Amino acid sequence: MAFLEAFYVFFIGLCFGSFANVVIYRLPAGESFFMSRSRCPKCKNQIAWYDNIPVFAWIFLKAKCRKCKAPIAWRYPLVELLVGVFTLLAFLKFGWTWLFLEMALFFFFLVICSFIDFDHMILPDVFTLGGIVIGFALAFVMPNRTVIESLLGILVGGGGLWAVAYIYYVLRKQDGMGGGDIKLLAWVGAVLGWKAIPFVIFSASIVGSIVGLAIMSKKTKKLETVIPFGPYIAAGAIAYALVGKEIASWYFGLLIPGL
Ligand SMILES: [Zn+2]
């Protein structure tokens, strides 16, 4: 039964991932999410419901449109899988609780923001600012953070990254990080509390630097390539929500034994 439950949650997550694909493509274009059914971008044929089943249809169709055989990007099932796996992990960690629901939705919106950031180098305010407000409001009822921790999270998250961006600007004389990243980290602080911020900035910087160097060595030798930072903040936030408290208490325990 436990396995069936987990699979059910995973499949619901895949369906949310399918919807995430719709939001990722339609929100920046200003299109409606609900009005029209999905169409093949090449032949414009409507996609039947059975060809829209997350991940499985993509495998069954061998990554091609049924009608025109145009290739379907692997990004679609990747987004579905990411949301599915994060939803499942949230369920395994939090069980049937309101916190599970909040974290699953938090991960869902972080995946959407990450891919919009990849494509357009923007993090929509509707998610980041909306997330700050809702994340702070839910601090009154959720068990993972106090209201003070959430408020400090907004201030430390927003302020901390603002300081990093300012130092970067002073050193490089150009903007490396957008205001969207600052709002994103404030949102993360609102949902996860201020203690999450050092871990998220640290892990995002390390992974971001490694990926950035890899991309730069491939493309140009110059440092001018702008790399979105949002996806690394999002990944750090998801990691902290799932295992960060354990890492943080181990880390603080090393610094201040007996805390
Ligand atoms: Zn087609």
Side-chain angles (χ1 to χ4, degrees), residues 117 121-123 125 128 158 161-162 164-166 168 174-185 226-230 233:
D117 200 18
M121 299 293 296
I122 51 161
L123 291 159
D125 280 348
T128 55
L161 202 58
W162 180 84
V164 172
Y166 182 74
Y168 189 89
Q174 68 183 55
D175 285 317
M177 235 174 304
D181 294 319
I182 293 169
K183 285 176 253 179
L184 172 64
L185 203 64
V226 183
I227 299 150
F229 196 52
I233 296 174

Side-chain angles (χ1 to χ4, degrees), residues 40 42-43 65 67-68 70:
C40 167
K42 187 96 182 281
C43 67
C65 170
K67 302 238 167 65
C68 71

Side-chain angles (χ1 to χ4, degrees), residues 39-45 47 64-72:
R39 285 167 187 279
C40 167
K42 187 96 182 281
C43 67
K44 308 290 177 202
N45 269 306
I47 297 165
K64 289 184 185 77
C65 170
R66 183 185 289 276
K67 302 238 167 65
C68 71
K69 304 293 172 200
I72 306 169

Side-chain angles (χ1 to χ4, degrees), residues 136-252:
F136 178 67
L138 287 176
F140 285 86
V141 290
M142 288 300 173
N144 70 323
R145 67 224 190 241
T146 65
V147 172
I148 298 295
E149 283 173 340
S150 177
L151 184 63
L152 284 174
I154 297 169
L155 297 175
V156 174
L161 202 58
W162 180 84
V164 172
Y166 182 74
I167 293 165
Y168 189 89
Y169 177 78
V170 168
L171 292 176
R172 301 276 319 282
K173 299 280 180 236
Q174 68 183 55
D175 285 317
M177 235 174 304
D181 294 319
I182 293 169
K183 285 176 253 179
L184 172 64
L185 203 64
W187 171 22
V188 169
V191 174
L192 300 177
W194 68 270
K195 284 177 189 159
I197 299 303
F199 174 87
V200 172
I201 291 186
F202 186 67
S203 58
S205 306
I206 290 190
V207 179
S209 307
I210 293 169
V211 175
L213 287 173
I215 292 172
M216 270 184 289
S217 65
K218 256 182 155 180
K219 279 186 177 165
T220 61
K221 299 285 176 226
K222 286 179 188 170
L223 262 167
E224 66 195 10
T225 324
V226 183
I227 299 150
F229 196 52
Y232 308 111
I233 296 174
I238 292 171
Y240 185 86
L242 292 171
V243 288
K245 269 199 175 143
E246 287 76 3
I247 295 173
S249 64
W250 170 77
Y251 180 74
F252 283 121

